Amino acid sequence: MQKRTIIKRIKSIIENYGTFSIGEVFGADGICVNEMGNLVALVEYFNSTTVEVNIYDANSFSSDPIDDYELTYEELDKDTLEQILFIAEMYETDQEKTLKRIA
């Protein structure tokens, strides 16, 4: 699947079901986009135009990020986009199941 097609599918899911975070998808983990020394950058929040990347100190006992920044989907590589699409499709499935239960 081409990068452009993956981005279009991710954005379509978010337009239909809203923005979401990694914590809302059962079994999903943050997606690593960069590592430097003890610092790890994880994509953890998804909206229709950007992703939020949280930076963690791997040696810290705190689960709080030490910094964050945003990237557009177009700035991400294809492998990262495929991982995001997988999580977005899990989110979509969860949302569809919820809608069926409340209908």
Side-chain angles (χ1 to χ4, degrees):
M1 194 179 302
Q2 290 185 350
K3 191 172 164 178
R4 186 178 68 226
T5 305
I6 296 169
I7 293 170
K8 186 176 178 182
R9 175 75 177 118
I10 292 168
K11 289 182 175 185
S12 172
I13 292 169
I14 292 170
E15 286 171 10
N16 287 332
Y17 297 102
T19 61
F20 66 98
S21 69
I22 203 74
E24 296 175 67
V25 182
F26 181 76
D29 293 320
I31 300 165
C32 184
V33 291
N34 200 1
E35 290 182 70
M36 184 186 297
N38 295 328
L39 301 179
V40 180
L42 301 176
V43 175
E44 297 187 320
Y45 185 79
F46 311 90
N47 66 48
S48 62
T49 56
T50 62
V51 297
E52 182 178 299
V53 179
N54 291 316
I55 302 171
Y56 296 93
D57 181 345
N59 289 336
S60 174
F61 292 107
S62 173
S63 62
D64 296 329
I66 60 172
D67 202 359
D68 62 71
Y69 60 94
E70 290 186 351
L71 292 172
T72 65
Y73 290 98
E74 291 75 16
E75 293 176 283
L76 299 169
D77 63 39
K78 186 178 177 191
D79 181 56
T80 301
L81 289 169
E82 287 172 341
Q83 292 177 61
I84 292 171
L85 178 58
F86 180 75
I87 290 169
E89 288 175 338
M90 289 171 59
Y91 176 70
E92 177 183 47
T93 300
D94 289 347
Q95 295 304 303
E96 288 174 353
K97 286 179 182 177
T98 299
L99 288 173
K100 286 180 182 176
R101 276 196 306 267
I102 61 175

